[in-house]
């Protein structure tokens, strides 16, 4: 086993959004230094890191220089180019490893891997051309056509209800390799977040129950009211995935729970996940600290949940009529506000989240939704704010 990277050492992070920011906060709390590399400047992660390097991921000279100044590297998004990981690997370890990224950054590869383990997943077909699509029978519709690469938050996805839509859907996805997934009639969407250490030990959070708006995560709640059997199965599937991929780090598995009670894997993310943000306030050790511990070869922390919790995302839409009224939400007991330091609020952009702890999951969810509503500035007041 490789030697642990101890507090006082420097961790490099690729990617500079909110996941990197919360990772850096956890790392600094443990006494590590953090260097971040991304193509942007004054980023959510850069604002809290020791060093922010602005560079293309494919500027391999700068990437190598970055690698020489750190002791271990991790990432906050899965679309890091393979060449970048290879360049860093020559100097310091990257966790999770390049093969984990390679599998999970392309839907078709990810699905083939899941199939090979016998894990149940959404029925799918690879689509490489319009004629592949035309060969699909009506009994496979409705379906969702998803690009094989570079998709997130529902980007690169089109729902298809009838054969007449094949041509326009294929053109809209710009004729890229894709997968066609059966539209799943689900009762709920769940996720399990897990960490695996360098010694092969594993810890789990959830399942969280997640609701989406326009394909973007809206609210996560835990614990869930589903049976112990569902919980145990979701965790067992996640354990198999972590071990089969030999993950060192954090990984999220997103599931559909079908109306007939079956758990199907939707997708994997080899990093902390939006549905795990509530672990920061609701669990003994959060998902970001687990990432720090795992990539540094330290023991993983306890995942004990302190109280039922709900997390509501704050998207740029909330800023439409002016800066949200933070004072109202901050008056709610047991509410924690997290803002990511992004300057520009755009529709659909994740600007922050709030987490509420309560006596029951349902109460936490109600309070989180209500608190978010109170943040929104009414139209008329917004006009006034704009005018002054
Ligand atoms: P994804 O980026 O694949 O996680 O998709 C984003 C969201 O779109 C999911 O969380 C679901 O709400 C919805 N979705 C994706 N794939 C399917 C599917 N095969 N059937 C039903 N809903 C889906």
């Amino acid at each position: 086993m490789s030697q642990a990277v101890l507090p006082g050492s420097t961790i490099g992070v690729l990617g500079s959004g909110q996941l990197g920011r919360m990772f850096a906060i956890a790392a600094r709390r443990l006494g590590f230094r953090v260097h971040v590399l991304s193509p942007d400047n004054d980023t959510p992660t850069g604002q809290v890191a020791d060093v922010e390097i602005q560079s293309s991921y494919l500027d391999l000279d700068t990437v190598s220089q970055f690698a020489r100044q750190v002791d271990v590297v991790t990432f906050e998004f899965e679309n890091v180019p393979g060449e970048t990981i290879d360049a860093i690997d020559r100097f310091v370890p990257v966790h999770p490893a390049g093969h984990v990224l390679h599998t999970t950054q392309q839907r078709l590869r990810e699905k083939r891997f899941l199939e090979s383990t016998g894990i149940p997943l959404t029925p799918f077909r690879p689509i490489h051309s319009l004629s592949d699509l035309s060969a699909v029978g009506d009994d496979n519709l409705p379906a969702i056509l998803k690009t094989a690469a570079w998709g997130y938050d529902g980007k690169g996805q089109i729902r298809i209800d009838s054969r007449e839509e094949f041509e326009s859907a294929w053109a809209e996805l710009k004729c890229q390799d894709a997968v066609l997934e059966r539209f799943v009639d689900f009762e709920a969407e769940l996720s399990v977040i897990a960490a695996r250490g360098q010694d092969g030990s594993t810890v789990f959070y959830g399942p969280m129950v997640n609701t989406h708006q326009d394909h973007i995560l809206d609210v996560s709640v835990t614990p869930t009211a589903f049976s112990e059997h569902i919980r145990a199965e979701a965790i067992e599937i996640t354990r198999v995935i972590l071990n089969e991929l030999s993950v060192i780090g954090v990984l999220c598995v997103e599931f559909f729970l079908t109306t007939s009670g079956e758990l199907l894997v939707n997708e994997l993310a080899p990093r902390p996940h939006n549905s795990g943000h509530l672990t920061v306030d609701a669990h003994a050790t959060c998902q970001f600290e687990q990432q720090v511990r795992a990539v540094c070869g330290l023991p993983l922390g306890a995942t004990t949940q302190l109280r039922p919790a709900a997390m509501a995302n704050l998207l740029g839409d909330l800023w439409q009529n002016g800066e949200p009224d933070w004072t109202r939400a901050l008056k709610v007991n047991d509410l924690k506000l997290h803002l990511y330091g992004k300057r520009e609020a755009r529709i659909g952009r994740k600007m922050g989240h709030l987490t509420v702890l309560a006596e029951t999951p349902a109460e936490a969810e109600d309070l989180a939704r209500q608190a978010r509503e109170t943040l929104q500035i009414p139209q008329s007041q917004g006009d006034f704010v704009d005018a002054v």
Side-chain angles (χ1 to χ4, degrees):
M1 205 182 98
S2 59
Q3 280 227 308
V5 174
L6 295 174
S9 309
T10 303
I11 308 175
V13 186
L14 298 167
S16 58
Q18 61 270 16
L19 298 177
R21 179 184 182 93
M22 289 181 268
F23 171 84
I25 290 170
R28 294 191 69 158
R29 207 176 48 223
L30 274 169
F32 288 94
R33 292 174 178 274
V34 177
H35 291 194
V36 58
L37 182 141
S38 83
D40 302 311
N41 190 25
D42 187 25
T43 59
T45 312
Q47 290 162 13
V48 299
D50 294 85
V51 174
E52 179 173 44
I53 298 163
Q54 186 176 14
S55 162
S56 151
Y57 297 112
L58 292 171
D59 174 351
L60 299 184
D61 287 337
T62 307
V63 167
S64 301
Q65 221 175 329
F66 158 80
R68 279 196 216 105
Q69 286 165 4
V70 302
D71 298 291
V72 64
V73 168
T74 189
F75 47 83
E76 62 126 43
F77 75 119
E78 56 268 42
N79 289 326
V80 179
E83 300 92 305
T84 311
I85 302 295
D86 292 344
I88 295 170
D89 255 340
R90 290 173 30 226
F91 301 99
V92 286
V94 181
H95 297 304
H99 74 267
V100 179
L101 267 180
H102 183 74
T103 304
T104 53
Q105 68 187 191
Q106 215 259 11
R107 271 186 209 279
L108 203 48
R109 276 201 292 269
E110 180 174 295
K111 286 182 185 296
R112 292 242 152 89
F113 155 73
L114 290 167
E115 261 184 338
S116 74
T117 61
I119 285 170
L121 68 161
T122 315
F124 74 97
R125 278 170 173 247
I127 303 290
H128 304 292
S129 64
L130 184 56
S131 57
D132 284 350
L133 203 49
S134 307
V136 171
D138 281 332
D139 52 336
N140 289 296
L141 299 179
I144 301 194
L145 187 64
K146 301 181 176 181
T147 52
W150 303 102
Y152 71 97
D153 283 349
K155 294 194 169 57
Q157 297 191 12
I158 297 171
R159 178 175 163 140
I160 300 180
D161 288 296
S162 74
R163 310 181 58 77
E164 288 68 53
E165 296 165 39
F166 282 164
E167 207 165 324
S168 60
W170 182 243
E172 203 175 315
L173 286 193
K174 305 204 169 51
C175 315
Q176 302 170 63
D177 279 353
V179 292
L180 187 73
E181 273 181 21
R182 278 286 285 281
F183 190 81
V184 178
D185 196 9
F186 57 78
E187 183 183 336
E189 291 188 72
L190 306 180
S191 58
V192 170
I193 291 152
R196 184 171 178 277
Q198 293 188 13
D199 59 357
S201 57
T202 48
V203 292
F204 302 89
Y205 301 96
M208 324 291 179
V209 63
N210 303 321
T211 46
H212 292 76
Q213 280 282 335
D214 300 328
H215 297 277
I216 301 175
L217 182 66
D218 185 40
V219 171
S220 294
V221 183
T222 190
T224 60
F226 297 107
S227 68
E228 174 56 25
H229 167 73
I230 298 285
R231 194 193 76 83
E233 191 183 333
I235 287 181
E236 191 46 37
I237 289 173
T238 307
R239 187 195 314 277
V240 170
I241 293 171
L242 280 178
N243 288 335
E244 288 287 327
L245 280 175
S246 304
V247 172
I248 293 175
V250 170
L251 178 128
C252 172
V253 183
E254 291 184 72
F255 297 93
F256 294 122
L257 177 62
T258 68
T259 44
S260 52
E262 204 185 352
L263 268 180
L264 301 176
V265 172
N266 170 26
E267 63 178 4
L268 311 180
R271 51 165 171 79
H273 189 259
N274 195 166
S275 61
H277 289 359
L278 53 73
T279 63
V280 172
D281 301 304
H283 291 72
T285 313
C286 72
Q287 61 170 352
F288 301 101
E289 182 173 335
Q290 302 286 18
Q291 186 183 12
V292 175
R293 290 173 178 238
V295 304
C296 290
L298 298 170
L300 299 178
T303 53
T304 319
Q305 183 162 0
L306 308 174
R307 290 175 69 195
M311 184 276 331
N313 266 337
L314 306 177
L315 300 185
D317 315 39
L318 261 184
W319 275 248
Q320 263 178 81
N321 301 324
E323 184 74 13
D325 184 351
W326 304 121
T327 54
R328 290 197 216 173
L330 290 170
K331 282 184 194 150
V332 178
N333 272 343
D334 300 328
L335 179 147
K336 293 291 190 176
L337 178 64
H338 299 253
L339 294 170
Y340 307 147
K342 296 182 185 178
R343 287 195 193 286
E344 201 192 332
R346 292 192 295 268
I347 301 291
R349 189 176 198 203
K350 291 174 180 167
M351 302 294 290
H353 69 269
L354 52 85
T355 300
V356 177
L357 308 184
E359 292 311 305
T360 65
E363 193 190 334
E365 179 172 358
D366 282 350
L367 287 170
R369 288 183 185 277
Q370 281 165 23
R372 183 171 58 182
E373 255 168 52
T374 67
L375 289 173
Q376 179 96 53
I377 301 286
Q379 177 77 49
S380 52
Q381 206 179 326
D383 291 346
F384 173 72
V385 170
D386 283 343
V388 288

